[in-house]
Amino acid sequence: MSGTTTAGARLRAAGGGANRWVVLIVLCISLLFVALDATVLHVAVPVVTEDLRPSGVELLWIVDAYPLICAALLILFGTLGDRVGRRRVLLLGYGIFGIASAVAALAATPEVLIGARALLGVGGAMIMPATLSILRAVFPDRRERAMAIGIWTAVAAVGAATGPVLGGFLVEHFWWGSVFLINIPLMALILPVGRWLLPESRGGSDGPWDVLGALMAAAGVLGAVLGIKRLGAGASVLDVKAVGPLLVGAALLALFVRRQKRREHPLIDMRMFARPAFSTSVGCIIIAMLALVGLELIAVQYLQLVLELSPLETGLRLLPLTFAAMAAGATGSHTLHRIGPRRMVGWGFVLTAVSVLLLTLMGQHDRPWLLTTGFVLLGFGLQTTLFAAYESMLSEAPPDQAGGAAAIGETSYQLGAGMGIALLGSVMNAAYAPALTSLDGVPGSAGSAASNSLGEAYQVADRLGGAGGAMLRTTARHSFVNGLHVTLLVSAGLLLLGALAALRLPRVMDCATPAEKCPAPRRPEVSLPASREPAEATRSGRAAH
């Protein structure tokens, strides 16, 4: 690819040992804004609703279009990068992400904003697996790669957790479109920098890219995640709009797996799942997100609707979680080397379960020290688990399958998140709604509407006014907190199941030499020729969110 040789010469001039760390900085900046966009809109939803007046379905798509499309296309673009070049796909993703951000910032109708969010998902699906597979390629030494993955996952956590803070600040001081506008100058800067600095790498397969298989995977993941999200939004298990996409998606994914097993040159080598460390790591990623992503949305509602904090104050309350995740990422390589994947993932799950149980002490009144302690333990435990699971998964994958392995990790993350929202959302609704359906002095229709969500209950209570409205508001607050406690207990149970699953992971971090568990860090050359890289250089790498 043009520019690669020149970039390699410049990096060599800068000093061989620094090359890959410069590349890591560029990759982390790329990831930061993709992760940030996943959450930055959450606190802006009320303002978007007031300005664009979307219907309920349109508002759902404004929020969900980005993660849905991103999840659906991860395997497609991850495996495409293995064939045509990971750097090429990454740079194209930068361009699409910047253009989509401009369209979203200036959107005047719900339809335009939905389309822009979908296009952001396309760009994000190009960027996320490419950053991880390039990281795998430029850090062939496992010990150094573990350190790079720790930084990478910490940046992902920072982006996701900073989103509400940054979004709250921008919405309070500017207009809602500014949450997208900040992406444009940064993408305009990182596109030429990435083109100049990043090395190109590809997988080793010379066979044709399976276009039909890639489309089957995309449609299957889209259907599965869409169905799961609709069930999580309260749809009945008999609702065709929820169950239909879920069943179709599951069928397509089953056909995709069958097709890959039969092809001479598969998109993803399904034999990777026969390796206990790989399959268990994927399962642990799903369980971690299944248990915790739904809690994030519920926690934001608790902070804003029960404790009545502003969007900016809500974001600031979540900052301890971010800092703890950064600390876990920074120390992850050392911890993994000392105690091994099994204990690191298992004890990470246990620590996270303890933090979730601690948060059951939350009530109607603000307890800042309790929340801060809980969020610190939550951030450290979750990041410890995800770091070790991603690192083990990526290290088990063959280097020429780095893009596919990265896509599997990111897809597992998204599927777990969708399943978590569906499962924990259903648990929350089952615990919250019954107390509101038959209140004395409150019309049945009002109680039914209030049972949909705490925010809607407040609106109904304000319209009712008087003693009935006050009673409805108080009952809704109590029911929400009780539902939160039940949801936290279910989440803790899932996390402990994850700790049991981690027993299938390797006891030690195996790094290839019999004399010592992990060799001293090597100083590989990052630059790769544009035309035809040597097989040894192209096949080196990967890991996670």
Side-chain angles (χ1 to χ4, degrees):
M1 198 171 190
S2 62
T4 306
T5 305
T6 302
R10 290 178 181 176
L11 282 173
R12 281 195 298 272
N19 294 359
R20 55 198 178 282
W21 302 107
V22 173
V23 170
L24 178 63
I25 291 171
V26 176
L27 296 178
C28 286
I29 293 173
S30 309
L31 178 68
L32 179 65
F33 289 95
V34 174
L36 190 149
D37 258 58
T39 57
V40 72
L41 188 63
H42 288 173
V43 295
V45 165
V47 185
V48 172
T49 303
E50 184 178 346
D51 188 18
L52 299 184
R53 301 289 179 184
S55 66
V57 174
E58 287 173 335
L59 182 60
L60 188 65
W61 278 104
I62 287 172
V63 174
D64 286 346
Y66 176 78
L68 273 176
I69 298 301
C70 187
L73 298 178
L74 285 167
I75 292 176
L76 189 154
F77 288 124
T79 57
L80 180 63
D82 286 341
R83 300 303 175 98
V84 305
R86 296 151 185 160
R87 171 179 173 268
R88 181 177 297 174
V89 171
L90 179 62
L91 295 179
L92 182 58
Y94 288 161
I96 291 175
F97 205 83
I99 292 169
S101 297
V103 175
L106 302 175
T109 65
E111 294 81 5
V112 172
L113 184 54
I114 291 169
R117 290 277 287 167
L119 193 59
L120 278 168
V122 174
M126 290 180 165
I127 294 170
M128 290 172 71
T131 60
L132 202 48
S133 53
I134 291 174
L135 184 152
R136 173 73 170 87
V138 297
F139 288 95
D141 178 85
R142 184 170 182 179
R143 188 171 183 178
E144 279 196 342
R145 185 167 66 244
M147 185 179 298
I149 290 169
I151 296 170
W152 191 91
T153 54
V155 168
V158 169
T162 304
V165 181
L166 183 60
F169 174 82
L170 292 172
V171 168
E172 288 187 11
H173 292 85
F174 302 99
W175 93 110
W176 62 264
S178 60
V179 302
F180 301 109
L181 206 61
I182 58 172
N183 293 333
I184 299 173
L186 290 160
M187 285 297 163
L189 174 64
I190 203 170
L191 181 57
V193 170
R195 187 173 185 275
W196 181 66
L197 282 177
L198 294 177
E200 184 60 284
S201 67
R202 296 178 180 85
S205 178
D206 295 324
W209 186 55
D210 183 9
V211 179
L212 178 59
L215 294 176
M216 288 172 64
V221 173
L222 179 62
V225 175
L226 179 60
I228 290 169
K229 280 182 172 288
R230 285 181 172 172
L231 289 173
S236 167
V237 292
L238 301 177
D239 187 348
V240 176
K241 291 183 178 180
V243 179
L246 181 58
L247 293 178
V248 171
L252 285 172
L253 289 175
L255 290 173
F256 169 76
V257 171
R258 184 180 179 186
R259 179 181 177 86
Q260 298 310 298
K261 287 180 176 179
R262 294 182 172 185
R263 287 184 64 85
E264 182 181 356
H265 301 287
L267 286 175
I268 295 174
D269 187 352
M270 292 298 163
R271 290 175 297 181
M272 289 191 295
F273 287 94
R275 303 179 181 185
F278 185 89
S279 56
T280 302
S281 296
V282 170
C284 287
I285 292 169
I286 292 175
I287 291 173
M289 301 316 299
L290 173 65
L292 291 164
V293 166
L295 288 181
E296 180 185 347
L297 297 177
I298 297 170
V300 169
Q301 294 180 60
Y302 172 80
L303 294 172
Q304 290 188 330
L305 298 177
V306 176
L307 301 186
E308 299 180 348
L309 302 179
S310 71
L312 180 57
E313 289 172 330
T314 298
L316 291 174
R317 284 295 184 92
L318 295 172
L319 276 182
L321 188 151
T322 305
F323 294 139
M326 291 172 62
T331 59
S333 175
H334 177 73
T335 306
L336 183 63
H337 182 45
R338 286 193 58 128
I339 69 174
R342 180 186 300 177
R343 281 186 287 181
M344 188 167 178
V345 174
W347 284 111
F349 270 125
V350 171
L351 179 60
T352 310
V354 169
S355 70
V356 168
L357 292 174
L358 180 64
L359 291 174
T360 58
L361 299 177
M362 295 186 303
Q364 302 284 331
H365 305 291
D366 192 5
R367 302 177 70 180
W369 286 108
L370 171 66
L371 286 174
T372 299
T373 303
F375 285 157
V376 167
L377 295 177
L378 182 66
F380 194 90
L382 175 61
Q383 192 65 20
T384 296
T385 297
L386 289 176
F387 165 82
Y390 268 111
E391 197 283 335
S392 297
M393 182 199 70
L394 193 57
S395 295
E396 283 293 314
D400 60 355
Q401 289 276 327
I408 289 171
E410 298 300 332
T411 303
S412 302
Y413 187 99
Q414 298 290 346
L415 282 173
M419 293 166 64
I421 292 171
L423 175 62
L424 297 186
S426 298
V427 170
M428 180 70 188
N429 188 62
Y432 164 76
L436 303 175
T437 54
S438 57
L439 285 173
D440 293 336
V442 176
S445 58
S448 178
S451 67
N452 292 328
S453 69
L454 182 58
E456 195 165 344
Y458 284 174
Q459 294 175 3
V460 173
D462 290 340
R463 288 197 297 268
L464 281 178
M471 182 173 64
L472 177 60
R473 188 180 186 92
T474 301
T475 303
R477 281 169 61 95
H478 280 283
S479 295
F480 183 88
V481 173
N482 290 335
L484 176 60
H485 291 164
V486 173
T487 306
L488 288 168
L489 291 173
V490 172
S491 178
L494 291 170
L495 291 163
L496 293 176
L497 287 177
L500 292 175
L503 295 175
R504 296 185 71 237
L505 289 172
R507 188 182 296 273
V508 297
M509 181 181 175
D510 183 12
C511 291
T513 61
E516 48 183 343
K517 296 220 168 44
C518 284
R522 295 173 293 185
R523 301 170 75 84
E525 180 57 69
V526 169
S527 63
L528 301 175
S531 55
R532 192 73 172 166
E533 305 91 51
E536 309 90 272
T538 27
R539 302 178 184 177
S540 49
R542 146 79 225 207
H545 220 302

